[in-house]
Structure formats: C-alpha cells, structure tokens
Amino acid sequence: RRYPFVGFSMDREPGKEILTVEDLSKTVDGVKVLDHVSFRVNRGDKIAFVGEHEIPTTTLFKILLEEEEPDAGSFKWGPTIATSYFPLDNSAFFNDCNLNLVEWLGQYTHETTESFMRTFLGRMLFSGDEVFKPVKVLSGGEKVRCMLSRMMLYGSNVLVLDQPTNHLDLESITAVNNGLIDYKGVVLFASHDHEFVQTIANRIIEFVPGGMIDKPCTFDEYIEFQRERMSAQEQ
C-alpha cells in the first residue's frame, strides 16, 4: 500500500481578521440556495460545511473565491489572508490542456528544476516517466492528487476544499486527512466522509431552510445535537 505525502505549510501566519460574511444571498436556477448567510471565521477554525445538499456550499465557496457574484450581501477576507481552493469540479484545469505533469505543475511554482518537480511528484506517487504523461489523460484520482499538489505549493494560510476525497483511494484519503489535521492554518471544507469530518473539524455549519446552523463542536457532537433537537420537536 502506497501513501502519497500530503502536507500543507503556511508562508505567513494569519492575522486576527480571517473572513467576515454578511447577509449573503444567492439564487441558482430559481432556487434560493443561500439565504441571508452571515458568519465570522476565526484563527484556528477548521469548519466543515455539512448537509444533504452540496449546491449551497459549492456556491458559497465560489463566491468567496470570486468565481461567482452574490445576489446580495458581502464578504471580506482579512489583509494577511492567502487562500488556496480545491473546487468540486476541476475539469477547467485539465480539459483542452496539452501540458504534461511537470509542465502543468510548473505553472504554480517558481522552483521548476526537473529534480524538484520529480521529487515533488514522486511524493504524490507519480514516478519515472509518468511525470511526462499528458494531464488530460489522467484518471479522476490522479487529477485530485495534482490539485492537492498545486495547493501545497502555494503556502496559503486558508484552505478551501470542496469534496477533496472524491475519486481518491483509501490511502490517499488517509494522507489528505492527516495533512489537514496537522495543518496550522484555517480550513473551510465540505465532505460526505464521516471519519474525515469528525477528525478534522472543530466547527460545523449546515445550511437549512431559511438560514444556517453554526456550532463550535465535532461532527459527532453535532449529530447528537441534531438528534436531540429532532426528538424535542417531535414531543
């Protein structure tokens, strides 16, 4: 069993101001997916966005990374913040791309010597002549490992990850899991993997009809809170 190395480091510590979201609303295809959403992100937060529906979280992440505009409301990143984003759909990075792996990764780093790139890609389980493979023929899991490599090169102090375990085998999921547990910066992420959320998150946000629930707790504690809430409503 081969485990890739996934480790994120920060080039600078985040300051006190991380992110403030105020009254964000967004309608997608006639459905209001974000309804007056407000929250603050603090230093040390590792926030899991959970729930049955992916669209609200994906939409929020796209707005925060300026890929989409909100219909109303605003958000503000702190002055010391540098973000790295793992999108739910990475096809724009690979479709119609004629680069090989070394060339593709070279777009995201100043250190482009072949020895550095080979070493880095080797840690992500691309060895030998595999590093010259065209990126458009990579499997789903290989593309995810490329996207994680890209994030590792940035040295950001905030990571935003939308379903990072999709397409990964168990060894790779374990590596990402450990990398995010060890990371000293702020993490905003979405995942359907119970163990992944339970071991990383120290705060849970769930979008619900008419708003959101925001609790500083582990995922298991949140599930227990929801269970008690449901039984209280039934009585």
Coordinates of all heavy atoms in Angstrom, one line a residue, residues 98-104 113-115 117-118 121 126-138:
N98 N -2.7 20.8 -23.0 CA -1.7 19.9 -23.7 C -0.4 19.8 -23.0 O 0.6 19.3 -23.5 CB -1.5 20.5 -25.1 CG -2.7 20.4 -26.0 OD1 -3.4 19.4 -26.0 ND2 -3.0 21.5 -26.7
L99 N -0.4 20.2 -21.7 CA 0.8 20.1 -20.9 C 1.0 18.7 -20.3 O 0.0 18.0 -20.1 CB 0.8 21.1 -19.8 CG 0.6 22.6 -20.2 CD1 0.5 23.4 -18.9 CD2 1.7 23.1 -21.1
N100 N 2.3 18.3 -20.0 CA 2.5 17.1 -19.2 C 2.5 17.5 -17.8 O 2.4 18.7 -17.4 CB 3.8 16.4 -19.7 CG 5.0 17.2 -19.4 OD1 5.1 17.9 -18.5 ND2 6.0 17.0 -20.3
L101 N 2.7 16.5 -16.9 CA 2.6 16.7 -15.5 C 3.6 17.8 -15.0 O 3.3 18.6 -14.2 CB 2.8 15.4 -14.7 CG 1.5 14.7 -14.3 CD1 1.9 13.3 -13.8 CD2 0.8 15.4 -13.2
V102 N 4.8 17.6 -15.4 CA 5.9 18.6 -15.0 C 5.6 20.0 -15.4 O 5.7 20.9 -14.6 CB 7.3 18.1 -15.6 CG1 8.3 19.2 -15.3 CG2 7.7 16.8 -14.9
E103 N 5.1 20.1 -16.7 CA 4.8 21.5 -17.2 C 3.6 22.0 -16.5 O 3.5 23.2 -16.1 CB 4.5 21.4 -18.7 CG 5.7 21.0 -19.5 CD 5.4 20.6 -20.9 OE1 4.2 20.1 -21.2 OE2 6.2 20.7 -21.8
W104 N 2.6 21.2 -16.2 CA 1.4 21.6 -15.5 C 1.7 22.2 -14.1 O 1.2 23.3 -13.8 CB 0.4 20.5 -15.5 CG -1.0 20.8 -15.0 CD1 -2.0 21.3 -15.7 CD2 -1.4 20.8 -13.6 NE1 -3.1 21.5 -14.9 CE2 -2.8 21.2 -13.6 CE3 -0.8 20.4 -12.4 CZ2 -3.5 21.3 -12.4 CZ3 -1.6 20.5 -11.2 CH2 -2.9 20.9 -11.2
T113 N 13.0 23.4 -11.5 CA 14.0 22.5 -11.9 C 13.4 21.1 -12.0 O 12.5 20.7 -11.2 CB 15.2 22.4 -10.9 OG1 14.7 22.0 -9.6 CG2 15.9 23.8 -10.7
E114 N 13.9 20.3 -12.9 CA 13.3 18.9 -13.1 C 13.5 18.1 -11.8 O 12.6 17.3 -11.5 CB 14.0 18.2 -14.3 CG 13.2 16.9 -14.6 CD 13.7 16.3 -15.9 OE1 13.9 17.0 -16.9 OE2 13.9 15.1 -15.9
S115 N 14.6 18.2 -11.1 CA 14.8 17.4 -9.9 C 13.8 17.8 -8.8 O 13.2 16.9 -8.2 CB 16.2 17.6 -9.4 OG 16.5 19.0 -9.0
M117 N 10.8 19.1 -9.4 CA 9.5 18.6 -9.8 C 9.3 17.1 -9.7 O 8.3 16.6 -9.3 CB 9.2 19.0 -11.3 CG 9.3 20.5 -11.5 SD 8.1 21.4 -10.6 CE 6.7 21.4 -11.7
R118 N 10.4 16.4 -10.1 CA 10.4 14.9 -10.0 C 10.2 14.5 -8.5 O 9.4 13.5 -8.2 CB 11.6 14.3 -10.5 CG 11.6 14.1 -12.0 CD 12.9 13.4 -12.5 NE 12.8 13.0 -13.9 CZ 12.2 11.9 -14.4 NH1 11.5 11.1 -13.6 NH2 12.2 11.7 -15.7
L121 N 6.6 15.4 -7.4 CA 5.6 14.5 -8.0 C 5.7 13.0 -7.5 O 4.8 12.3 -7.3 CB 5.7 14.5 -9.5 CG 5.1 15.8 -10.2 CD1 5.7 16.0 -11.6 CD2 3.6 15.8 -10.2
F126 N 3.7 9.9 -8.5 CA 4.0 9.9 -9.9 C 5.5 9.7 -10.1 O 6.3 10.5 -9.7 CB 3.6 11.2 -10.5 CG 2.1 11.6 -10.5 CD1 1.7 12.5 -9.6 CD2 1.2 10.9 -11.3 CE1 0.3 12.8 -9.5 CE2 -0.1 11.2 -11.2 CZ -0.6 12.2 -10.4
S127 N 5.9 8.5 -10.6 CA 7.3 8.2 -10.7 C 7.7 7.9 -12.1 O 6.9 7.7 -13.0 CB 7.6 7.0 -9.7 OG 6.8 5.9 -10.1
G128 N 9.1 7.9 -12.3 CA 9.6 7.6 -13.6 C 9.1 8.5 -14.7 O 8.9 9.7 -14.6
D129 N 8.8 7.8 -15.8 CA 8.3 8.6 -17.0 C 6.8 9.0 -16.8 O 6.3 9.8 -17.7 CB 8.4 7.7 -18.2 CG 9.8 7.6 -18.7 OD1 10.7 8.4 -18.2 OD2 10.2 6.7 -19.5
E130 N 6.2 8.6 -15.7 CA 4.8 9.1 -15.5 C 4.7 10.6 -15.4 O 3.7 11.2 -15.7 CB 4.3 8.5 -14.2 CG 3.7 7.1 -14.3 CD 3.0 6.8 -13.0 OE1 3.6 7.0 -11.9 OE2 1.9 6.2 -13.0
V131 N 5.8 11.2 -15.0 CA 5.8 12.7 -14.8 C 5.7 13.4 -16.2 O 5.4 14.6 -16.2 CB 7.1 13.2 -14.1 CG1 7.1 12.6 -12.7 CG2 8.3 13.0 -14.8
F132 N 5.9 12.7 -17.3 CA 5.7 13.3 -18.6 C 4.4 12.9 -19.3 O 4.2 13.2 -20.5 CB 6.9 12.9 -19.5 CG 8.2 13.3 -18.9 CD1 9.2 12.4 -18.6 CD2 8.5 14.7 -18.8 CE1 10.4 12.8 -18.0 CE2 9.7 15.1 -18.2 CZ 10.7 14.1 -17.8
K133 N 3.5 12.4 -18.5 CA 2.2 12.0 -19.0 C 1.3 13.3 -19.2 O 1.4 14.2 -18.4 CB 1.5 11.1 -18.0 CG 0.3 10.4 -18.5 CD 0.0 9.1 -17.7 CE -0.3 9.1 -16.3 NZ -0.9 7.9 -15.8
P134 N 0.6 13.3 -20.4 CA -0.3 14.5 -20.6 C -1.4 14.5 -19.5 O -2.0 13.5 -19.2 CB -0.9 14.3 -22.0 CG -0.1 13.1 -22.6 CD 0.5 12.4 -21.5
V135 N -1.6 15.7 -19.0 CA -2.6 15.8 -17.8 C -4.0 15.5 -18.3 O -4.8 15.0 -17.5 CB -2.5 17.2 -17.1 CG1 -1.2 17.4 -16.5 CG2 -2.8 18.3 -18.1
K136 N -4.3 15.7 -19.6 CA -5.7 15.4 -20.0 C -6.1 13.9 -20.0 O -7.3 13.6 -20.1 CB -6.0 16.1 -21.3 CG -5.2 15.7 -22.5 CD -5.6 16.5 -23.7 CE -4.7 16.3 -24.9 NZ -5.0 17.3 -25.9
V137 N -5.1 13.0 -19.9 CA -5.4 11.6 -19.8 C -5.4 11.0 -18.4 O -5.6 9.8 -18.2 CB -4.5 10.8 -20.8 CG1 -4.5 11.3 -22.2 CG2 -3.0 10.7 -20.2
L138 N -5.2 11.9 -17.4 CA -5.1 11.4 -16.0 C -6.5 10.9 -15.6 O -7.5 11.4 -16.0 CB -4.7 12.5 -15.1 CG -3.2 13.1 -15.4 CD1 -3.0 14.3 -14.4 CD2 -2.2 12.0 -15.2

